[in-house]
Amino acid sequence: YLIVGGMPEAVKEYSQNNRLLEVAEIQGAIINAYIADMAKYATYSDTTKIMACFDSLPAQLAKDNKKFQYKVVARGGRASLFGASIDWLLASGIVLKCERIEQGQHPLAIFKDLASFKLYMGDVGLLSHRAGVNEYDIIKGNDHVFIGALTENYVATALIQKGYPLYYWTSGTSEVDFVIEKQSEVLPIEVKARENVKSRSLSVYVKHYHPDYSIRISGKNFGFENGILAIPLYAVFCL
């Protein structure tokens, strides 16, 4: 799924023929259609900025600190120059925005840090294609440098499909990948691409905010231990 993603035409091609080469061609055509729309519905100057933001997404997510940085888009980049371009990408559904919260308390929306956010692709398969990820690195379980970013992006799309707004939390060097709100419950979510589930950041969050329980999404099976609900990667839809 990290390679194919969920775009209907790509899923149909893979389900019928089980060939990734044709899937990549479909994904390339979808991305080209996105770029064509950028040129069709914006001025030339705006199109250039929108494309620059879009092209920077793999590099943004490959960083240890995945916070969107305008300087990655272009030298001297700033919000006043590229802010409208990001709004265009969000309105089109091409990208998803995950906003930083300063406090892990209910209601999360009032604790948003409007200046800090992460951007994910609306479809994880398109991100894989855009980043040029080799499917064998995923299938064989190699520790590819980008596997963590792909896994986070997958979880982001799954949470959106379940109706959860995307938030993340940081404090100093600690970062929790996602924080969700179930009625008045605020729950931290840690995402791991493999079975290595150690997380100092989650411990810092729990010590500070004392949630009813935490959620860890990883390569491990279902379980509940030490206040952590374990959910395997394939079962994010169960949230």
PDB file of all heavy atoms in Angstrom, residues 169-183:
ATOM      1  N   TRP A 169       2.706  17.294  18.451  1.00  0.00           N
ATOM      2  CA  TRP A 169       3.163  18.008  19.651  1.00  0.00           C
ATOM      3  C   TRP A 169       4.675  17.955  19.734  1.00  0.00           C
ATOM      4  O   TRP A 169       5.290  16.918  19.457  1.00  0.00           O
ATOM      5  CB  TRP A 169       2.556  17.367  20.896  1.00  0.00           C
ATOM      6  CG  TRP A 169       3.091  17.896  22.207  1.00  0.00           C
ATOM      7  CD1 TRP A 169       2.656  18.990  22.893  1.00  0.00           C
ATOM      8  CD2 TRP A 169       4.161  17.330  22.985  1.00  0.00           C
ATOM      9  NE1 TRP A 169       3.388  19.145  24.050  1.00  0.00           N
ATOM     10  CE2 TRP A 169       4.318  18.136  24.142  1.00  0.00           C
ATOM     11  CE3 TRP A 169       4.991  16.220  22.824  1.00  0.00           C
ATOM     12  CZ2 TRP A 169       5.276  17.882  25.110  1.00  0.00           C
ATOM     13  CZ3 TRP A 169       5.953  15.950  23.786  1.00  0.00           C
ATOM     14  CH2 TRP A 169       6.085  16.777  24.912  1.00  0.00           C
ATOM     15  N   THR A 170       5.277  19.074  20.090  1.00  0.00           N
ATOM     16  CA  THR A 170       6.716  19.111  20.339  1.00  0.00           C
ATOM     17  C   THR A 170       6.992  19.904  21.609  1.00  0.00           C
ATOM     18  O   THR A 170       6.243  20.816  21.972  1.00  0.00           O
ATOM     19  CB  THR A 170       7.499  19.761  19.177  1.00  0.00           C
ATOM     20  OG1 THR A 170       7.109  21.134  19.054  1.00  0.00           O
ATOM     21  CG2 THR A 170       7.272  19.037  17.871  1.00  0.00           C
ATOM     22  N   SER A 171       8.083  19.544  22.248  1.00  0.00           N
ATOM     23  CA  SER A 171       8.586  20.292  23.397  1.00  0.00           C
ATOM     24  C   SER A 171      10.076  20.027  23.487  1.00  0.00           C
ATOM     25  O   SER A 171      10.491  18.888  23.746  1.00  0.00           O
ATOM     26  CB  SER A 171       7.890  19.864  24.690  1.00  0.00           C
ATOM     27  OG  SER A 171       8.410  20.576  25.806  1.00  0.00           O
ATOM     28  N   GLY A 172      10.880  21.050  23.255  1.00  0.00           N
ATOM     29  CA  GLY A 172      12.324  20.839  23.211  1.00  0.00           C
ATOM     30  C   GLY A 172      12.687  19.904  22.084  1.00  0.00           C
ATOM     31  O   GLY A 172      12.326  20.120  20.923  1.00  0.00           O
ATOM     32  N   THR A 173      13.367  18.808  22.417  1.00  0.00           N
ATOM     33  CA  THR A 173      13.755  17.821  21.403  1.00  0.00           C
ATOM     34  C   THR A 173      12.751  16.678  21.282  1.00  0.00           C
ATOM     35  O   THR A 173      12.957  15.753  20.502  1.00  0.00           O
ATOM     36  CB  THR A 173      15.146  17.235  21.730  1.00  0.00           C
ATOM     37  OG1 THR A 173      15.102  16.629  23.036  1.00  0.00           O
ATOM     38  CG2 THR A 173      16.209  18.330  21.718  1.00  0.00           C
ATOM     39  N   SER A 174      11.678  16.735  22.062  1.00  0.00           N
ATOM     40  CA  SER A 174      10.665  15.670  22.039  1.00  0.00           C
ATOM     41  C   SER A 174       9.564  16.000  21.038  1.00  0.00           C
ATOM     42  O   SER A 174       9.134  17.154  20.938  1.00  0.00           O
ATOM     43  CB  SER A 174      10.050  15.485  23.430  1.00  0.00           C
ATOM     44  OG  SER A 174      11.035  15.126  24.371  1.00  0.00           O
ATOM     45  N   GLU A 175       9.117  14.990  20.306  1.00  0.00           N
ATOM     46  CA  GLU A 175       8.027  15.183  19.338  1.00  0.00           C
ATOM     47  C   GLU A 175       7.152  13.937  19.300  1.00  0.00           C
ATOM     48  O   GLU A 175       7.653  12.819  19.174  1.00  0.00           O
ATOM     49  CB  GLU A 175       8.569  15.474  17.946  1.00  0.00           C
ATOM     50  CG  GLU A 175       7.471  15.603  16.895  1.00  0.00           C
ATOM     51  CD  GLU A 175       7.995  15.986  15.524  1.00  0.00           C
ATOM     52  OE1 GLU A 175       8.980  16.752  15.454  1.00  0.00           O
ATOM     53  OE2 GLU A 175       7.430  15.507  14.516  1.00  0.00           O
ATOM     54  N   VAL A 176       5.844  14.146  19.421  1.00  0.00           N
ATOM     55  CA  VAL A 176       4.864  13.073  19.251  1.00  0.00           C
ATOM     56  C   VAL A 176       4.225  13.256  17.885  1.00  0.00           C
ATOM     57  O   VAL A 176       3.739  14.343  17.556  1.00  0.00           O
ATOM     58  CB  VAL A 176       3.803  13.104  20.367  1.00  0.00           C
ATOM     59  CG1 VAL A 176       2.692  12.106  20.078  1.00  0.00           C
ATOM     60  CG2 VAL A 176       4.453  12.810  21.716  1.00  0.00           C
ATOM     61  N   ASP A 177       4.213  12.187  17.084  1.00  0.00           N
ATOM     62  CA  ASP A 177       3.845  12.285  15.674  1.00  0.00           C
ATOM     63  C   ASP A 177       2.441  12.850  15.461  1.00  0.00           C
ATOM     64  O   ASP A 177       2.227  13.717  14.619  1.00  0.00           O
ATOM     65  CB  ASP A 177       3.950  10.907  15.010  1.00  0.00           C
ATOM     66  CG  ASP A 177       5.367  10.371  15.062  1.00  0.00           C
ATOM     67  OD1 ASP A 177       6.304  11.139  14.813  1.00  0.00           O
ATOM     68  OD2 ASP A 177       5.531   9.171  15.354  1.00  0.00           O
ATOM     69  N   PHE A 178       1.461  12.334  16.226  1.00  0.00           N
ATOM     70  CA  PHE A 178       0.085  12.794  16.091  1.00  0.00           C
ATOM     71  C   PHE A 178      -0.576  12.850  17.460  1.00  0.00           C
ATOM     72  O   PHE A 178      -0.229  12.068  18.358  1.00  0.00           O
ATOM     73  CB  PHE A 178      -0.733  11.876  15.172  1.00  0.00           C
ATOM     74  CG  PHE A 178      -0.191  11.769  13.781  1.00  0.00           C
ATOM     75  CD1 PHE A 178       0.549  10.659  13.383  1.00  0.00           C
ATOM     76  CD2 PHE A 178      -0.417  12.782  12.859  1.00  0.00           C
ATOM     77  CE1 PHE A 178       1.058  10.562  12.102  1.00  0.00           C
ATOM     78  CE2 PHE A 178       0.095  12.693  11.569  1.00  0.00           C
ATOM     79  CZ  PHE A 178       0.828  11.589  11.191  1.00  0.00           C
ATOM     80  N   VAL A 179      -1.517  13.763  17.614  1.00  0.00           N
ATOM     81  CA  VAL A 179      -2.344  13.835  18.812  1.00  0.00           C
ATOM     82  C   VAL A 179      -3.787  13.957  18.345  1.00  0.00           C
ATOM     83  O   VAL A 179      -4.107  14.829  17.533  1.00  0.00           O
ATOM     84  CB  VAL A 179      -1.977  15.046  19.703  1.00  0.00           C
ATOM     85  CG1 VAL A 179      -2.840  15.056  20.958  1.00  0.00           C
ATOM     86  CG2 VAL A 179      -0.506  15.012  20.079  1.00  0.00           C
ATOM     87  N   ILE A 180      -4.653  13.061  18.822  1.00  0.00           N
ATOM     88  CA  ILE A 180      -6.051  13.087  18.404  1.00  0.00           C
ATOM     89  C   ILE A 180      -6.963  13.351  19.600  1.00  0.00           C
ATOM     90  O   ILE A 180      -6.555  13.185  20.752  1.00  0.00           O
ATOM     91  CB  ILE A 180      -6.477  11.780  17.703  1.00  0.00           C
ATOM     92  CG1 ILE A 180      -6.386  10.592  18.684  1.00  0.00           C
ATOM     93  CG2 ILE A 180      -5.657  11.539  16.448  1.00  0.00           C
ATOM     94  CD1 ILE A 180      -6.989   9.304  18.127  1.00  0.00           C
ATOM     95  N   GLU A 181      -8.169  13.725  19.271  1.00  0.00           N
ATOM     96  CA  GLU A 181      -9.161  14.044  20.281  1.00  0.00           C
ATOM     97  C   GLU A 181     -10.386  13.167  20.058  1.00  0.00           C
ATOM     98  O   GLU A 181     -10.999  13.210  18.992  1.00  0.00           O
ATOM     99  CB  GLU A 181      -9.545  15.515  20.151  1.00  0.00           C
ATOM    100  CG  GLU A 181      -9.962  16.175  21.426  1.00  0.00           C
ATOM    101  CD  GLU A 181      -9.926  17.695  21.312  1.00  0.00           C
ATOM    102  OE1 GLU A 181      -9.895  18.216  20.178  1.00  0.00           O
ATOM    103  OE2 GLU A 181      -9.931  18.351  22.350  1.00  0.00           O
ATOM    104  N   LYS A 182     -10.695  12.339  21.058  1.00  0.00           N
ATOM    105  CA  LYS A 182     -11.900  11.512  21.007  1.00  0.00           C
ATOM    106  C   LYS A 182     -12.847  12.043  22.069  1.00  0.00           C
ATOM    107  O   LYS A 182     -12.634  11.795  23.261  1.00  0.00           O
ATOM    108  CB  LYS A 182     -11.562  10.044  21.261  1.00  0.00           C
ATOM    109  CG  LYS A 182     -10.666   9.420  20.198  1.00  0.00           C
ATOM    110  CD  LYS A 182     -10.426   7.948  20.449  1.00  0.00           C
ATOM    111  CE  LYS A 182     -11.695   7.141  20.273  1.00  0.00           C
ATOM    112  NZ  LYS A 182     -11.447   5.684  20.412  1.00  0.00           N
ATOM    113  N   GLN A 183     -13.857  12.813  21.605  1.00  0.00           N
ATOM    114  CA  GLN A 183     -14.723  13.545  22.512  1.00  0.00           C
ATOM    115  C   GLN A 183     -13.839  14.459  23.368  1.00  0.00           C
ATOM    116  O   GLN A 183     -13.206  15.350  22.847  1.00  0.00           O
ATOM    117  CB  GLN A 183     -15.582  12.579  23.332  1.00  0.00           C
ATOM    118  CG  GLN A 183     -16.527  11.746  22.468  1.00  0.00           C
ATOM    119  CD  GLN A 183     -17.328  10.746  23.260  1.00  0.00           C
ATOM    120  OE1 GLN A 183     -17.024  10.422  24.398  1.00  0.00           O
ATOM    121  NE2 GLN A 183     -18.394  10.247  22.647  1.00  0.00           N
TER     122      GLN A 183
END
